[in-house]
Amino acid sequence: MSKKTIAVMTSGGDVSGLNAAIRAIVRTAIYYNRTVIGVEKGYDGLIDADFRSLNSGSVSHIISRGGTLLQSSRSERFREKKYRDIAYQNLKDHDIKYIILIGGDGSLKGASIMSQESDINVVGIPKTIDNDISGTDFAIGFDTAVNVAMEAIDRIRDTAMSHNRLFFIEVMGRNAGYIALEAGIAVGAEGIIIPETNRDLELLYKTIDHKKDWKNSSFIVIVAEGDETGGAYKLQKLIHERYPELYTGVTILGHIQRGGSPTCADRTLATRLGVAAVEKLLQGEKNVMIGKVHDEIVCTPLDKIHNRRLDVDNEMLKLLKILSK
Ligand code: F6P
């Protein structure tokens, strides 16, 4: 392999749209006469020299598929310098100096460390259903996750309506309420419980007090898994103690939010970021993450990337207050 080789890898939890990004990277690199290798299983693949050549045909018909062609990992070993040194040696042995890494906040931190400790130039692409990465308005996977959640919750609403029930629906979001807020507004939820505020519970009590005597009604409360109440089952218990007369149920959406065919928005985002990553890298950009802000492609230094926190005073929460009355 030559200096012109570009390696591509996916790291951290899978999301829908990774394959669209891999396809864009491979095809763009080939367009600019570069060879491409895929690193299997994220950072573990760097440590184990788990590399394979990719050509245009390797990425045919994957744009519509969930998961990742290259597989992924949350590598514990890569946290240790001794294993990172093995990875650097493997890359040297294969004459790889350029990597495009598609990953979340933790993986992008790993990329930043890699660029400080070695002469590898890593360009990052943001992906996470949690959407909590700075430097981009949207990370790959978020749009699909919220659409999957929305569709599932609409179905649960049918049961809630038919039986006068209150459902607590737990969505993913380790430390972030983006999925809960977006999907909650889209389904007309009566309550949205997120880690970024503790005023949400108070608002939920008010809404229940206001509505609980209604006949032929239903309640949908979206709970972000990372909320300080401890999730949907804990919240159900709290509400049951306060309103024992209400019939409540819990649904945990879990990993269905991470898989499946990506939405149009995720496919186009992944494609734009993938093409831009190769072009920026070839233009000499170093150690940056490629994001999309106000529909413009922007580069942010990897060491400036951090967890983004949802603004609780944002317009969406106000919407909930108005519409749940
Ligand atoms: O960070 C993405 C995410 O899906 C979180 O929302 C969730 O808490 C976590 O990953 C689950 O990780 P795993 O698939 O390793 O259980």
Side-chain angles (χ1 to χ4, degrees), residues 68-136:
T68 161
L69 174 81
L70 295 171
Q71 296 199 291
S72 193
S73 65
R74 299 190 195 275
S75 177
E76 282 304 319
R77 286 186 295 163
F78 201 75
R79 293 175 192 275
E80 289 182 52
K81 178 76 164 63
K82 67 173 180 187
Y83 287 109
R84 292 200 296 276
D85 285 340
I86 295 172
Y88 304 146
Q89 190 58 48
N90 288 336
L91 290 166
K92 204 168 178 190
D93 293 346
H94 289 79
D95 208 6
I96 298 168
K97 293 193 168 61
Y98 304 108
I99 298 180
I100 296 178
L101 173 132
I102 313 163
D105 181 51
S107 303
L108 292 164
K109 281 202 174 72
S112 177
I113 291 170
M114 199 164 33
S115 69
Q116 286 158 30
E117 290 178 344
S118 73
D119 59 356
I120 313 291
N121 180 13
V122 193
V123 166
I125 294 181
K127 67 87 220 170
T128 169
I129 65 166
D130 296 355
N131 207 35
D132 57 351
I133 303 180
S134 66
T136 191

Coordinates of all heavy atoms in Angstrom, one line a residue, residues 68-136:
T68 N -23.1 -1.8 9.9 CA -21.9 -1.3 9.3 C -21.2 -2.5 8.6 O -20.9 -3.5 9.3 CB -20.9 -0.6 10.2 OG1 -19.6 -0.6 9.6 CG2 -20.9 -1.1 11.6
L69 N -20.9 -2.3 7.3 CA -20.2 -3.3 6.5 C -18.9 -3.7 7.2 O -18.4 -4.8 7.1 CB -19.9 -2.6 5.2 CG -19.0 -3.4 4.2 CD1 -19.8 -4.4 3.4 CD2 -18.4 -2.4 3.2
L70 N -18.3 -2.7 7.9 CA -16.9 -3.0 8.5 C -17.0 -3.4 9.9 O -16.0 -3.6 10.6 CB -16.1 -1.6 8.5 CG -15.8 -1.2 7.0 CD1 -15.2 0.2 7.1 CD2 -14.8 -2.1 6.4
Q71 N -18.2 -3.6 10.5 CA -18.4 -3.9 11.9 C -17.8 -2.8 12.8 O -17.1 -1.9 12.3 CB -17.9 -5.3 12.3 CG -18.6 -6.4 11.6 CD -18.4 -7.7 12.3 OE1 -17.3 -8.2 12.2 NE2 -19.5 -8.2 12.9
S72 N -18.1 -2.9 14.0 CA -17.6 -1.8 14.9 C -17.3 -2.4 16.3 O -17.5 -3.6 16.6 CB -18.7 -0.8 15.1 OG -18.2 0.4 15.7
S73 N -16.7 -1.5 17.2 CA -16.4 -2.0 18.5 C -16.3 -0.8 19.4 O -16.1 0.3 19.0 CB -15.1 -2.8 18.6 OG -14.0 -1.9 18.3
R74 N -16.5 -1.0 20.7 CA -16.2 0.0 21.7 C -14.9 -0.6 22.3 O -15.0 -1.3 23.3 CB -17.3 0.2 22.7 CG -18.6 0.6 22.2 CD -19.5 0.9 23.4 NE -20.9 1.1 23.0 CZ -21.5 2.2 22.5 NH1 -20.8 3.2 22.3 NH2 -22.8 2.2 22.3
S75 N -13.8 -0.2 21.8 CA -12.5 -0.9 22.2 C -12.0 -0.4 23.6 O -11.7 0.8 23.8 CB -11.4 -0.6 21.1 OG -10.2 -1.2 21.5
E76 N -11.9 -1.3 24.5 CA -11.3 -1.0 25.8 C -9.8 -1.0 25.6 O -9.1 -0.2 26.2 CB -11.7 -2.1 26.8 CG -13.1 -2.0 27.3 CD -13.4 -0.7 28.0 OE1 -12.5 -0.1 28.7 OE2 -14.5 -0.1 27.7
R77 N -9.2 -1.9 24.8 CA -7.8 -1.9 24.6 C -7.2 -0.6 24.1 O -6.1 -0.2 24.6 CB -7.4 -3.1 23.6 CG -7.6 -4.5 24.2 CD -7.1 -5.5 23.3 NE -7.9 -5.6 22.1 CZ -7.5 -6.2 20.9 NH1 -6.3 -6.7 20.9 NH2 -8.2 -6.2 19.9
F78 N -7.9 0.1 23.2 CA -7.3 1.3 22.6 C -7.1 2.4 23.7 O -6.4 3.3 23.4 CB -8.2 1.8 21.5 CG -7.5 2.7 20.5 CD1 -6.6 2.1 19.6 CD2 -7.7 4.0 20.5 CE1 -5.9 3.0 18.7 CE2 -7.0 4.9 19.7 CZ -6.1 4.3 18.7
R79 N -7.8 2.3 24.8 CA -7.6 3.3 25.9 C -6.1 3.2 26.4 O -5.6 4.1 27.1 CB -8.5 3.0 27.0 CG -10.0 3.3 26.7 CD -10.9 2.9 27.8 NE -12.3 2.9 27.4 CZ -13.0 4.0 27.3 NH1 -12.6 5.1 27.7 NH2 -14.3 3.9 26.9
E80 N -5.5 2.0 26.2 CA -4.1 1.8 26.8 C -3.1 2.1 25.8 O -3.1 1.6 24.6 CB -4.0 0.4 27.3 CG -4.8 0.0 28.5 CD -4.6 -1.4 28.9 OE1 -3.4 -1.8 29.1 OE2 -5.6 -2.1 29.1
K81 N -2.1 2.9 26.2 CA -1.0 3.3 25.3 C -0.3 2.1 24.6 O 0.0 2.2 23.4 CB 0.0 4.2 26.1 CG 1.2 4.7 25.3 CD 0.8 5.8 24.4 CE 2.0 6.6 23.9 NZ 2.9 5.9 23.0
K82 N -0.1 1.1 25.4 CA 0.7 -0.1 24.8 C -0.1 -0.6 23.6 O 0.5 -1.0 22.6 CB 1.0 -1.2 25.8 CG -0.2 -1.9 26.3 CD 0.2 -3.1 27.2 CE -1.0 -3.8 27.7 NZ -0.9 -4.8 28.7
Y83 N -1.4 -0.6 23.6 CA -2.2 -1.1 22.4 C -2.2 -0.1 21.3 O -2.2 -0.4 20.1 CB -3.6 -1.5 22.8 CG -3.6 -2.8 23.6 CD1 -3.9 -2.8 25.0 CD2 -3.3 -4.0 23.0 CE1 -3.9 -4.0 25.7 CE2 -3.3 -5.2 23.8 CZ -3.6 -5.2 25.1 OH -3.6 -6.3 25.8
R84 N -2.3 1.2 21.7 CA -2.2 2.2 20.7 C -0.9 2.2 19.9 O -0.9 2.3 18.7 CB -2.4 3.6 21.3 CG -3.8 3.8 21.8 CD -4.2 5.3 22.0 NE -3.3 6.0 22.9 CZ -3.5 6.1 24.2 NH1 -4.5 5.4 24.8 NH2 -2.7 6.8 25.0
D85 N 0.2 1.9 20.6 CA 1.5 1.7 19.9 C 1.5 0.6 18.9 O 2.1 0.7 17.9 CB 2.6 1.5 21.0 CG 2.9 2.9 21.7 OD1 2.6 3.9 21.1 OD2 3.5 2.8 22.8
I86 N 0.8 -0.5 19.3 CA 0.7 -1.6 18.4 C -0.1 -1.2 17.1 O 0.3 -1.5 16.0 CB 0.0 -2.8 19.0 CG1 0.9 -3.4 20.2 CG2 -0.3 -3.9 18.0 CD1 0.2 -4.5 21.0
A87 N -1.1 -0.4 17.3 CA -1.9 0.1 16.2 C -1.1 1.0 15.3 O -1.1 0.8 14.1 CB -3.1 0.9 16.7
Y88 N -0.3 1.9 15.9 CA 0.5 2.8 15.1 C 1.5 2.0 14.3 O 1.8 2.3 13.1 CB 1.3 3.8 16.0 CG 0.4 4.6 16.9 CD1 0.8 5.1 18.1 CD2 -0.9 5.0 16.4 CE1 0.0 5.8 19.0 CE2 -1.7 5.8 17.3 CZ -1.3 6.2 18.5 OH -2.1 6.9 19.3
Q89 N 2.1 0.9 14.9 CA 3.1 0.1 14.2 C 2.4 -0.6 13.0 O 2.9 -0.7 11.9 CB 3.7 -0.9 15.1 CG 4.9 -1.7 14.6 CD 6.0 -0.7 14.1 OE1 6.4 0.2 14.8 NE2 6.5 -0.9 12.9
N90 N 1.2 -1.1 13.2 CA 0.4 -1.8 12.1 C 0.2 -0.8 11.0 O 0.3 -1.2 9.8 CB -0.9 -2.3 12.7 CG -0.8 -3.5 13.6 OD1 0.2 -4.2 13.5 ND2 -1.7 -3.7 14.4
L91 N -0.2 0.4 11.3 CA -0.5 1.4 10.3 C 0.8 1.7 9.5 O 0.8 1.8 8.3 CB -1.1 2.6 10.9 CG -2.5 2.5 11.4 CD1 -2.9 3.6 12.3 CD2 -3.5 2.3 10.2
K92 N 1.9 1.8 10.2 CA 3.2 2.1 9.6 C 3.6 0.9 8.6 O 4.0 1.1 7.5 CB 4.3 2.2 10.7 CG 5.4 3.0 10.3 CD 6.3 3.3 11.5 CE 7.5 4.1 11.0 NZ 8.5 4.3 12.1
D93 N 3.4 -0.3 9.2 CA 3.7 -1.5 8.3 C 2.9 -1.6 7.1 O 3.4 -2.1 6.1 CB 3.5 -2.8 9.1 CG 4.4 -2.9 10.3 OD1 5.4 -2.2 10.4 OD2 4.1 -3.8 11.2
H94 N 1.7 -1.0 7.1 CA 0.9 -1.1 5.9 C 0.9 0.3 5.2 O 0.1 0.5 4.2 CB -0.6 -1.4 6.3 CG -0.8 -2.8 6.7 ND1 -0.4 -3.3 8.0 CD2 -1.2 -3.9 6.0 CE1 -0.7 -4.6 8.0 NE2 -1.2 -5.0 6.9
D95 N 1.8 1.1 5.6 CA 2.0 2.4 4.9 C 0.7 3.3 4.8 O 0.4 3.9 3.8 CB 2.6 2.2 3.5 CG 3.4 3.4 3.1 OD1 3.6 4.3 3.9 OD2 3.8 3.4 1.9
I96 N 0.0 3.2 5.9 CA -1.3 4.0 6.0 C -1.1 5.3 6.8 O -0.7 5.2 8.0 CB -2.4 3.2 6.6 CG1 -2.7 1.9 5.8 CG2 -3.7 4.0 6.7 CD1 -3.6 0.9 6.5
K97 N -1.3 6.4 6.2 CA -1.1 7.7 6.9 C -2.4 8.5 7.1 O -2.5 9.5 7.8 CB -0.1 8.6 6.2 CG 1.3 8.0 6.2 CD 2.3 9.0 5.7 CE 3.8 8.6 6.0 NZ 4.1 7.4 5.3
Y98 N -3.4 8.0 6.4 CA -4.7 8.7 6.4 C -5.8 7.8 6.8 O -6.0 6.7 6.3 CB -5.0 9.3 5.0 CG -4.0 10.1 4.4 CD1 -3.2 9.7 3.3 CD2 -3.7 11.4 4.9 CE1 -2.2 10.5 2.8 CE2 -2.8 12.2 4.4 CZ -2.0 11.8 3.3 OH -1.0 12.6 2.8
I99 N -6.6 8.3 7.8 CA -7.8 7.5 8.2 C -9.0 8.4 8.2 O -8.9 9.5 8.7 CB -7.5 6.9 9.7 CG1 -6.3 6.0 9.7 CG2 -8.8 6.2 10.1 CD1 -6.1 5.4 11.1
I100 N -10.1 7.8 7.8 CA -11.4 8.5 8.0 C -12.1 7.7 9.0 O -12.4 6.5 8.7 CB -12.1 8.7 6.7 CG1 -11.3 9.7 5.7 CG2 -13.5 9.3 7.0 CD1 -11.9 9.9 4.4
L101 N -12.4 8.3 10.1 CA -13.1 7.6 11.2 C -14.5 8.1 11.4 O -14.7 9.3 11.5 CB -12.3 7.8 12.5 CG -13.0 7.2 13.8 CD1 -12.0 6.4 14.6 CD2 -13.6 8.3 14.6
I102 N -15.4 7.2 11.3 CA -16.9 7.6 11.5 C -17.2 7.1 13.0 O -17.2 5.9 13.3 CB -17.8 6.9 10.5 CG1 -17.2 7.0 9.1 CG2 -19.2 7.5 10.6 CD1 -17.8 6.0 8.1
G103 N -17.4 8.1 13.9 CA -17.6 7.7 15.3 C -18.3 8.7 16.1 O -18.6 9.9 15.6
G104 N -18.6 8.4 17.3 CA -19.2 9.3 18.3 C -18.2 10.1 19.0 O -17.0 10.0 18.7
D105 N -18.6 10.7 20.1 CA -17.7 11.6 20.9 C -16.5 10.9 21.4 O -15.4 11.3 21.2 CB -18.6 12.1 22.0 CG -17.9 13.0 22.9 OD1 -17.2 14.0 22.4 OD2 -17.9 12.8 24.1
G106 N -16.7 9.7 22.0 CA -15.6 8.9 22.5 C -14.6 8.5 21.5 O -13.4 8.6 21.6
S107 N -15.1 8.0 20.3 CA -14.2 7.6 19.2 C -13.5 8.8 18.7 O -12.3 8.6 18.3 CB -15.1 6.9 18.1 OG -15.8 5.9 18.7
L108 N -14.1 9.9 18.6 CA -13.4 11.1 18.0 C -12.4 11.6 19.0 O -11.3 12.1 18.6 CB -14.5 12.2 17.8 CG -15.4 11.9 16.6 CD1 -16.7 12.8 16.6 CD2 -14.8 12.0 15.3
K109 N -12.6 11.4 20.3 CA -11.5 11.7 21.3 C -10.3 10.8 21.0 O -9.2 11.2 21.1 CB -12.0 11.5 22.7 CG -12.9 12.7 23.2 CD -12.9 12.7 24.7 CE -13.7 14.0 25.1 NZ -15.1 13.9 24.9
G110 N -10.6 9.5 20.8 CA -9.5 8.6 20.4 C -8.8 9.0 19.2 O -7.5 8.9 19.2
A111 N -9.5 9.5 18.2 CA -8.9 10.0 17.0 C -7.9 11.2 17.3 O -6.8 11.3 16.7 CB -9.9 10.4 16.0
S112 N -8.4 12.1 18.2 CA -7.6 13.2 18.6 C -6.3 12.8 19.2 O -5.2 13.3 18.9 CB -8.4 14.1 19.5 OG -7.7 15.2 19.9
I113 N -6.4 11.8 20.1 CA -5.2 11.3 20.8 C -4.2 10.7 19.8 O -3.0 10.9 19.8 CB -5.6 10.2 21.9 CG1 -6.4 10.9 23.0 CG2 -4.4 9.4 22.4 CD1 -7.0 10.0 24.0
M114 N -4.8 9.9 18.8 CA -4.0 9.3 17.8 C -3.2 10.3 17.0 O -2.1 10.1 16.7 CB -5.0 8.5 16.9 CG -4.3 7.4 16.1 SD -5.3 6.2 15.4 CE -6.8 6.8 14.9
S115 N -3.9 11.4 16.7 CA -3.2 12.4 15.9 C -2.1 13.2 16.7 O -1.2 13.7 16.1 CB -4.2 13.4 15.3 OG -4.8 14.2 16.3
Q116 N -2.3 13.2 18.0 CA -1.3 13.8 18.9 C -0.1 12.9 19.1 O 1.1 13.3 19.1 CB -1.8 14.2 20.2 CG -2.8 15.4 20.2 CD -3.7 15.4 21.4 OE1 -3.4 15.0 22.5 NE2 -4.9 16.0 21.2
E117 N -0.3 11.6 19.1 CA 0.7 10.7 19.4 C 1.5 10.1 18.2 O 2.5 9.5 18.4 CB 0.2 9.4 20.2 CG -0.3 9.8 21.6 CD -1.0 8.6 22.3 OE1 -1.3 7.6 21.6 OE2 -1.1 8.7 23.5
S118 N 0.9 10.3 17.0 CA 1.6 9.7 15.8 C 1.5 10.7 14.7 O 0.9 11.8 14.8 CB 0.8 8.4 15.5 OG -0.4 8.8 14.9
D119 N 2.0 10.3 13.5 CA 1.9 11.2 12.4 C 0.7 10.8 11.5 O 0.6 11.2 10.3 CB 3.2 11.2 11.6 CG 3.6 9.8 11.1 OD1 2.8 8.8 11.4 OD2 4.6 9.7 10.3
I120 N -0.2 10.0 12.0 CA -1.4 9.7 11.3 C -2.4 10.9 11.2 O -2.6 11.5 12.2 CB -2.2 8.5 12.0 CG1 -1.3 7.4 12.4 CG2 -3.4 8.0 11.1 CD1 -0.7 6.6 11.3
N121 N -2.9 11.2 10.0 CA -3.9 12.2 9.9 C -5.3 11.6 9.9 O -5.6 10.8 9.0 CB -3.6 13.0 8.6 CG -4.6 14.1 8.4 OD1 -5.4 14.5 9.3 ND2 -4.7 14.7 7.2
V122 N -6.0 11.9 10.9 CA -7.4 11.3 11.0 C -8.4 12.4 10.8 O -8.3 13.5 11.3 CB -7.6 10.8 12.5 CG1 -8.9 9.9 12.5 CG2 -6.5 10.0 13.0
V123 N -9.3 12.1 9.9 CA -10.5 13.0 9.7 C -11.7 12.3 10.2 O -11.9 11.1 9.9 CB -10.6 13.4 8.2 CG1 -11.9 14.0 7.9 CG2 -9.5 14.4 7.8
G124 N -12.5 13.0 11.0 CA -13.6 12.3 11.7 C -14.9 12.7 11.0 O -15.1 13.8 10.4
I125 N -15.9 11.8 11.1 CA -17.3 12.1 10.7 C -18.2 11.7 11.9 O -18.0 10.6 12.5 CB -17.6 11.2 9.5 CG1 -16.8 11.6 8.3 CG2 -19.1 11.3 9.1 CD1 -17.1 10.8 7.0
P126 N -19.1 12.6 12.3 CA -19.9 12.4 13.5 C -21.0 11.4 13.3 O -21.8 11.6 12.3 CB -20.4 13.8 13.9 CG -20.4 14.5 12.5 CD -19.4 13.9 11.7
K127 N -21.2 10.5 14.1 CA -22.4 9.6 14.1 C -22.8 9.3 15.5 O -21.9 9.0 16.4 CB -22.1 8.3 13.3 CG -21.1 7.3 13.9 CD -21.7 6.3 14.9 CE -20.7 6.1 16.0 NZ -21.2 5.4 17.2
T128 N -24.0 9.4 15.8 CA -24.6 8.9 17.1 C -26.1 9.2 17.1 O -26.5 10.3 16.7 CB -24.0 9.6 18.4 OG1 -24.8 9.2 19.5 CG2 -23.9 11.1 18.4
I129 N -26.9 8.3 17.5 CA -28.3 8.5 17.5 C -28.6 9.6 18.6 O -29.6 10.2 18.6 CB -29.2 7.3 17.8 CG1 -28.9 6.6 19.1 CG2 -29.0 6.3 16.6 CD1 -29.9 5.6 19.5
D130 N -27.7 9.8 19.6 CA -27.9 10.7 20.7 C -27.8 12.2 20.2 O -28.3 13.1 20.9 CB -26.9 10.5 21.8 CG -27.1 9.1 22.5 OD1 -28.1 8.4 22.1 OD2 -26.3 8.8 23.3
N131 N -27.2 12.4 19.1 CA -27.0 13.7 18.4 C -26.3 14.7 19.3 O -26.5 16.0 19.2 CB -28.4 14.3 18.0 CG -28.2 15.3 16.8 OD1 -27.4 15.1 16.0 ND2 -29.0 16.3 16.8
D132 N -25.4 14.3 20.2 CA -24.9 15.2 21.2 C -23.4 15.5 21.0 O -22.6 15.5 21.9 CB -25.1 14.6 22.6 CG -24.5 13.2 22.8 OD1 -24.1 12.6 21.8 OD2 -24.4 12.7 23.9
I133 N -23.1 15.7 19.7 CA -21.7 16.0 19.3 C -21.6 17.4 18.9 O -22.4 17.8 18.0 CB -21.1 15.1 18.2 CG1 -21.2 13.6 18.6 CG2 -19.7 15.4 17.8 CD1 -20.7 12.6 17.6
S134 N -20.6 18.2 19.4 CA -20.5 19.6 18.9 C -19.9 19.6 17.5 O -19.5 18.5 17.0 CB -19.6 20.4 19.8 OG -18.2 19.8 19.7
G135 N -20.0 20.7 16.8 CA -19.4 20.8 15.5 C -20.3 20.4 14.3 O -19.8 20.4 13.2
T136 N -21.5 20.0 14.6 CA -22.4 19.6 13.6 C -23.9 19.8 14.1 O -24.1 19.6 15.3 CB -22.2 18.2 13.1 OG1 -22.9 17.9 11.9 CG2 -22.6 17.2 14.2

